[in-house]
Amino acid sequence: LIPFYLLLRQYVVGFPALRADGLLWTAANTLLKLPKIVFLYLGNSLFPFNLYSHRAQPGFGADTALYFLALYAGIAAALLRRHRTALFLALWYLAALAPKFPLLISPRNDYMLDHWVYPCNFALFLGLGLLYEKLSGTGAAAKKLSAAVLAALLVFYIYEGNLNTAQRGSSLKIYRHTLEHTVSYQAMHNLAREYYLLGDD
């Protein structure tokens, strides 16, 4: 499904990275680069300690192989065990992220924006909900523990949601906060525009 989407997109709008002479590079880059990006997105969704716009994509490093093995070994294990729920959630996550694959693998783009993964998070939190349901049904003690963990998570997400709103509650705040954590000429341009609109020289 995903390779078909990428080829169809190339046919409709064109994309240099997906030309016939670049298909091998595109496939290799996707297989190697995507796992680390997926795990970083998952981590930011589960633990949103520091969200900001124009987040730089991770570079290749020694840990790239670990992310590669973790993602594809997990999918292979789900296939071998015929775990339909896990496969459904994984496919939902990747299919929802697929429209951004051309940008994520493009050599001309260095960003992985947080809002690109919002549709994917349905699969993530559905999986957590199913896990909670399974754990809470294993006994009275497990049910109490699961309820306590759920309550703590709700408090955590409410706190982080309010904190992120306070830090990024306007376009001006978004770009100022961004430039505290990353280097982005687009964010600099957008921040300058916000100051210009405010009449601040």
Side-chain angles (χ1 to χ4, degrees):
L1 177 62
I2 292 171
F4 172 75
Y5 163 78
L6 294 175
L7 291 174
L8 183 63
R9 187 183 191 280
Q10 156 67 9
Y11 176 77
V12 175
V13 301
F15 194 76
L18 298 180
R19 292 179 304 192
D21 58 350
L23 285 177
L24 182 60
W25 176 90
T26 300
N29 196 41
T30 302
L31 289 172
L32 291 172
K33 193 176 184 181
L34 187 62
K36 192 171 184 179
I37 290 174
V38 167
F39 278 106
L40 286 178
Y41 269 137
L42 288 171
N44 289 334
S45 297
L46 289 172
F47 307 105
F49 294 117
N50 186 27
L51 302 180
Y52 55 88
S53 181
H54 294 78
R55 184 183 302 275
Q57 291 186 23
F60 289 104
D63 58 347
T64 300
L66 297 178
Y67 289 107
F68 177 90
L69 291 173
L71 179 63
Y72 297 118
I75 294 176
L79 284 169
L80 290 174
R81 298 182 63 181
R82 298 184 179 180
H83 200 304
R84 290 182 294 179
T85 301
L87 288 172
F88 169 78
L89 295 175
L91 287 175
W92 179 288
Y93 195 96
L94 293 175
L97 190 59
K100 296 303 179 183
F101 281 4
L103 285 173
L104 289 171
I105 66 176
S106 170
R108 296 178 297 178
N109 174 64
D110 294 327
Y111 302 122
M112 46 179 291
L113 304 188
D114 291 334
H115 67 266
W116 289 353
V117 82
Y118 290 168
C120 310
N121 282 343
F122 172 84
L124 171 62
F125 290 107
L126 176 59
L128 291 176
L130 293 172
L131 179 62
Y132 169 78
E133 182 183 24
K134 184 176 181 179
L135 293 176
S136 62
T138 56
K143 189 172 184 178
K144 291 180 180 179
L145 179 60
S146 299
V149 171
L150 178 61
L153 286 174
L154 287 175
V155 171
F156 167 72
Y157 286 126
I158 290 171
Y159 170 78
E160 285 296 326
N162 282 283
L163 179 62
N164 276 295
T165 300
Q167 290 177 331
R168 309 190 303 163
S170 66
S171 295
L172 183 64
K173 288 183 178 180
I174 286 174
Y175 299 121
R176 287 179 62 180
H177 181 68
T178 293
L179 293 173
E180 293 176 2
H181 301 283
T182 188
V183 176
S184 167
Y185 292 110
Q186 290 182 356
M188 291 179 187
H189 172 271
N190 292 343
L191 180 61
R193 179 179 180 274
E194 293 300 320
Y195 279 127
Y196 173 77
L197 293 175
L198 289 173
D200 192 337
D201 296 330

